[in-house]
Amino acid sequence: MSPLPPLPHPAGPGAAQSYQARHVLGLPADVLVDEVETLALSRFAGARWDVAPEGTEPLVPPARTARPGEPGVLRTSRHTTLTGPYAGPGSGVPGTALVFDVVCPRERGDVPYPGGGDRDGVGRAFPCGLPVREEERVVAFLVAAARRLGGSVRTDVGNPAGAGVVLTPDPGVAVDMTLYSDVWLDPHAALALVGRLHPRTRLATEGKPYEGPPKGIAELPLYPGEKMDPELRRALHAAADDVDIKALTTGAVLDGYGLLVDLGMDGLVAVEVGGEEALPLLLRGLPWTVGGAVSYRVRWEPQDLAESQREQPSLDHQIARKRAAEVVTQVTRTLHQAVGGEIADEAEFLVDPEDL
């Protein structure tokens, strides 16, 4: 393979126009270019290589293959391209071996809300107006891809108002996972599986026994100023009670349930089970997902939600998050062993079960 060319100067040939924004995705040396295509296909239905780089094996047939020394061009939409890989040194993204030059529409909205959560630093990178519409989707993808691949994002390259901010997303932030399967696990079977991992697991479908209508309600007016015959009012209340009792005593098909794992000071891990039609892009259209799938969402609920949304949370929170992530991983792995299927992380990027 030919040596990677250097990243072009922001003001040089092919520079972004005034209506465009330019960002840089920097990645470590052990990342394969094919991985970037896979992540793009996970987020953008129309992603494809206009020009496939040397040595890649595209999942979608490219328009053409790059000539020696020529960068590839990965198009995620009509208006957005990722060009590269270029050599990392000199790109302004420290510690990276290869980079992609990202050009998308420049679309900015309101300034960041003061004191709002900004766990990825996006508000810090765009203090004069947060990305919206297409640029918001692109920046969110770049941050998620950098987190997944151990890279960084340099925002607003070439903007006269600033030299750009480098964001290095913390991989430990992404705790939650979702398992998609065509197998429905009975609530008590799921409780038994998860309960073996953690003794403080309980079903979250238990309700309060129905104790009937409040005493004396049949004598109260149905609405202010109502002057109904007392016997008729009592008859109406009795008929309504009959409907309620029938609804409460008639068997219904269970279409969802939850489990709660009490982690004490570390918060809770919730397992939410139900039908799902809005599947990750890479799972749509498969033989076993044509009619939807069963989703097993395994997510952490920290005790301090505000702390979880800080870009630099406290050490105590990071320790709790690490312990909770281990539980989330164990639960997801155990459920996958029972029902099979595919696992996705918070960004809807698929995860190999062996990598858990």
Side-chain angles (χ1 to χ4, degrees), residues 48-130:
R48 68 187 187 281
W49 288 109
D50 283 354
V51 181
E54 281 187 280
T56 57
E57 298 180 3
L59 296 173
V60 178
R64 67 178 179 88
T65 301
R67 295 180 291 272
E70 180 186 13
V73 179
L74 177 61
R75 182 175 297 279
T76 60
S77 76
R78 199 173 122 202
H79 305 289
T80 300
T81 56
L82 284 73
T83 304
Y86 294 105
S91 65
V93 188
T96 57
L98 61 153
V99 297
F100 282 85
D101 188 9
V102 184
V103 175
C104 68
R106 185 183 190 83
E107 300 178 289
R108 305 291 163 84
D110 296 334
V111 300
Y113 183 76
D118 187 25
R119 71 176 194 176
D120 296 322
V122 175
R124 175 170 60 84
F126 299 93
C128 298
L130 291 170

Side-chain angles (χ1 to χ4, degrees), residues 28 47 81 93 132 136 160 176 179 207 235 311:
T81 56
V93 188
V132 295
E136 180 183 17
D176 302 348
L179 169 63
E311 189 176 4

Side-chain angles (χ1 to χ4, degrees), residues 19-331:
Y19 59 88
Q20 295 175 312
R22 185 180 179 198
H23 312 295
V24 174
L25 172 63
L27 302 170
D30 60 352
V31 171
L32 300 176
V33 175
D34 299 282
E35 294 180 81
V36 179
E37 180 198 18
T38 302
L39 296 187
L41 285 168
S42 302
R43 189 63 66 87
F44 304 101
R48 68 187 187 281
W49 288 109
D50 283 354
V51 181
E54 281 187 280
T56 57
E57 298 180 3
L59 296 173
V60 178
R64 67 178 179 88
T65 301
R67 295 180 291 272
E70 180 186 13
V73 179
L74 177 61
R75 182 175 297 279
T76 60
S77 76
R78 199 173 122 202
H79 305 289
T80 300
T81 56
L82 284 73
T83 304
Y86 294 105
S91 65
V93 188
T96 57
L98 61 153
V99 297
F100 282 85
D101 188 9
V102 184
V103 175
C104 68
R106 185 183 190 83
E107 300 178 289
R108 305 291 163 84
D110 296 334
V111 300
Y113 183 76
D118 187 25
R119 71 176 194 176
D120 296 322
V122 175
R124 175 170 60 84
F126 299 93
C128 298
L130 291 170
V132 295
R133 295 184 290 274
E134 173 82 356
E135 189 179 16
E136 180 183 17
R137 291 189 289 271
V138 170
V139 170
F141 165 72
L142 294 177
V143 170
R147 175 180 290 115
R148 175 66 177 264
L149 300 175
S152 299
V153 179
R154 186 180 172 203
T155 62
D156 246 0
V157 177
N159 182 4
V165 173
V166 175
L167 302 177
T168 304
D170 181 0
V173 166
V175 174
D176 302 348
M177 293 186 183
T178 302
L179 169 63
Y180 298 94
S181 173
D182 58 351
V183 176
W184 169 268
L185 200 57
D186 179 82
H188 292 284
L191 176 62
L193 283 172
V194 178
R196 292 174 195 165
L197 301 174
H198 205 291
R200 289 193 291 183
T201 303
R202 63 181 177 86
L203 269 174
T205 55
E206 299 148 358
K208 183 179 179 182
Y210 179 63
E211 298 177 352
K215 292 182 179 179
I217 193 172
E219 306 300 328
L220 299 176
L222 298 177
Y223 53 85
E226 176 256 299
K227 307 245 179 233
M228 189 178 295
D229 178 75
E231 289 298 327
L232 178 57
R233 185 191 304 118
R234 282 191 284 271
L236 287 174
H237 277 291
D241 292 342
D242 290 340
V243 172
D244 291 340
I245 291 171
K246 183 178 180 181
L248 291 167
T249 56
T250 300
V253 176
L254 184 67
D255 59 3
Y257 63 90
L259 302 173
L260 290 178
V261 182
D262 185 358
L263 303 182
M265 295 295 293
D266 293 342
L268 295 170
V269 166
V271 183
E272 299 170 350
V273 185
E276 183 64 66
E277 295 183 358
L279 302 174
L281 281 176
L282 292 183
L283 298 183
R284 297 177 189 177
L286 299 179
W288 62 274
T289 65
V290 171
V294 180
S295 65
Y296 297 81
R297 299 188 180 277
V298 188
R299 57 184 181 83
W300 177 46
E301 296 183 3
Q303 284 201 333
D304 190 337
L305 183 60
E307 190 69 24
S308 71
Q309 298 304 306
R310 299 186 190 278
E311 189 176 4
Q312 296 181 333
S314 67
L315 180 59
D316 287 344
H317 176 82
Q318 294 179 54
I319 294 172
R321 185 180 68 193
K322 185 175 185 301
R323 288 194 292 246
E326 293 172 354
V327 175
V328 168
T329 299
Q330 291 170 351
V331 170

